Amino acid sequence: MNCPHFDAGECGSCTLMGVPYATQVDELAAEVADRLADHVTHEQWSTPLVGPASGFRNKAKLAVGGTKEAPTFGILDADLRGVPLPECGLYTPALADALDSLLPVVAELGLAPFDVPARQGELKHLIVTGSPDGEVMVRFVLRSPGQLPRVRRGLDDLHAAVPGLRVVSVNIQPEHKAVLEGEEEIVLTEHETLPMRLDDITLHLRPRSFFQTNTFVATGLYRQARGWITEIDPASVLDLYCGVGGFALTAALAPGRDRRVHGVEVSADAVASARRSASELGVDVDFEAADARGLSALDHELVVLNPPRRGVGSDLCAAIESAAPDHLVYSSCNAVSLARDLSELPGYRVTRARFFDMFPQTRHHEVMVLLERT
């Protein structure tokens, strides 16, 4: 992959740019395996799952700079001034096309870009997500709700520019700190969710929902989980940190016996999305809005763990050890915290492991392991 912005020194986000992609995968997979060497043997690793080295990213997070008359959409430089990045080779072709049509219309709305050094202006970020079926969600991150009417008045123009536009929302982020979004989200369109189709499961993303930015590899991640679950064929599954329900729904649809499936997620919005997907699929999955770290009832044959970068932690590992489910599936974006958690689960041993190159051109990674009770 070649990038004029990287070559010009304008953007350094792709830290592995210039390294042949096969070399990136080999070196990063070896690094992850080395970090997990105390828990995973060489024979337990499956072939890494990779997708396209470019054109894979389903989300654009654009910092807004410049002036009301000439806004920039891209990143901020070392002086916190806007650097325009009109294109990025990481975006899926459909997302890139949507941005080409969308950005001129957003510029015409007359929203003053937020000037970080001066602490003036309104529009901080523009976050755009594209689905495999060509639908789009656009989020305006504003400092205050004062410019909300401008966005409302521009809805028809936005829809005309991007025929697949499904969701438009405004997020209010009033604080002057390095935080992408705030707590308040105002949806301006009839539709509140962006459907994301992964094989036979359609997940519903609300504006603040987390979802992997690489749809192709995320699909492979769920396929691998389905394969392991099918092989184990548990009677009951508990999905902790379930998000919008990907692993829980995968477990419910995996071949085998009828099974009891329960998903736990701290975000009420994500749980609402998961329940909608379950209803559309016609599967009986119980989703609960709660903090997984505070759970004590872990009486399931299989527990799925998909925590944030910090990992599961000692308390939840101790609760799992006490409950002693037969198997665990642990999906992690941080091999360091994964290794630490595996050390806190002495009653389990890894039987399978796989590396997923979710973020080509960077050192970020995803790894999933299957464990069984010893």
Side-chain angles (χ1 to χ4, degrees):
M1 174 179 166
N2 296 313
C3 175
H5 302 296
F6 182 87
D7 294 340
E10 296 171 330
C11 178
S13 298
C14 292
T15 55
L16 299 182
M17 183 71 68
V19 178
Y21 185 51
T23 302
Q24 291 183 31
V25 174
D26 289 346
E27 292 182 350
L28 190 53
E31 179 182 317
V32 170
D34 184 63
R35 291 188 180 277
L36 298 174
D38 290 342
H39 308 282
V40 187
T41 67
H42 175 76
E43 293 75 19
Q44 291 166 339
W45 286 101
S46 299
T47 303
L49 192 149
V50 302
S54 61
F56 62 84
R57 189 176 176 89
N58 59 37
K59 178 180 287 188
K61 300 178 182 179
L62 303 171
V64 184
T67 65
K68 183 189 296 187
E69 295 74 22
T72 64
F73 301 92
I75 61 174
L76 301 181
D77 64 16
D79 297 320
L80 301 178
R81 301 297 181 183
V83 177
L85 300 179
E87 70 282 324
C88 174
L90 299 185
Y91 299 148
T92 64
L95 178 59
D97 289 344
L99 289 170
D100 286 345
S101 302
L102 177 69
L103 296 184
V105 179
V106 174
E108 293 173 1
L109 294 180
L111 298 166
F114 184 69
D115 184 320
V116 177
R119 301 192 181 190
Q120 296 178 344
E122 280 296 325
L123 181 57
K124 293 184 171 185
H125 295 93
L126 189 72
I127 305 172
V128 185
T129 306
S131 79
D133 296 315
E135 294 184 301
V136 176
M137 175 162 56
V138 177
R139 303 175 63 206
F140 293 79
V141 181
L142 301 177
R143 184 175 67 162
S144 73
Q147 296 302 306
L148 190 58
R150 284 185 182 271
V151 182
R152 288 188 188 276
R153 289 195 296 269
L155 285 176
D156 288 343
D157 291 337
L158 293 170
H159 279 286
V162 184
L165 183 59
R166 179 180 172 92
V167 182
V168 178
S169 69
V170 169
N171 179 273
I172 307 301
Q173 209 297 75
E175 299 183 77
H176 185 71
K177 60 182 182 181
V179 175
L180 181 65
E181 60 189 39
E183 295 295 324
E184 183 180 4
E185 192 87 28
I186 303 163
V187 178
L188 304 180
T189 46
E190 172 189 1
H191 297 292
E192 296 184 348
T193 70
L194 179 69
M196 296 291 285
R197 179 177 49 82
L198 307 176
D199 289 337
D200 57 348
I201 295 176
T202 295
L203 303 175
H204 284 275
L205 306 188
R206 282 176 163 76
R208 299 183 65 207
S209 296
F210 168 80
F211 183 71
Q212 300 284 6
T213 58
N214 190 326
T215 308
F216 180 91
V217 177
T219 301
L221 183 77
Y222 290 120
R223 285 177 187 164
Q224 182 63 81
R226 182 179 296 204
W228 288 347
I229 293 169
T230 300
E231 181 179 325
I232 297 166
D233 198 16
S236 58
V237 178
L238 174 63
D239 181 8
L240 300 182
Y241 307 96
C242 72
V244 294
F247 284 114
L249 297 170
T250 294
L253 291 175
R257 72 180 87 180
D258 291 336
R259 56 183 61 97
R260 174 170 57 98
V261 181
H262 184 69
V264 178
E265 166 60 42
V266 72
S267 167
D269 279 352
V271 167
S273 292
R275 288 171 176 164
R276 175 173 177 176
S277 294
S279 176
E280 290 177 355
L281 288 167
V283 295
D284 184 15
V285 180
D286 180 28
F287 289 102
E288 174 187 2
D291 189 341
R293 293 173 297 178
L295 290 184
S296 56
L298 304 173
D299 55 335
H300 292 70
E301 291 185 9
L302 168 66
V303 173
V304 179
L305 302 165
N306 186 25
R309 285 187 61 81
R310 67 175 181 268
V312 169
S314 298
D315 290 346
L316 184 51
C317 284
I320 292 170
E321 280 286 331
S322 177
D326 294 337
H327 292 90
L328 309 176
V329 171
Y330 192 140
S331 180
S332 170
C333 62
N334 184 354
V336 174
S337 61
L338 173 58
R340 185 176 60 243
D341 286 340
L342 293 178
S343 296
E344 298 275 359
L345 295 165
Y348 291 87
R349 68 178 186 90
V350 175
T351 60
R352 311 279 182 81
R354 196 169 192 185
F355 167 82
F356 299 81
D357 195 28
M358 196 73 71
F359 315 97
Q361 314 302 330
T362 77
R363 306 202 71 81
H364 297 293
H365 57 269
E366 190 84 17
V367 59
M368 188 163 65
V369 295
L370 172 65
L371 301 99
E372 69 177 13
R373 189 74 180 173
T374 57

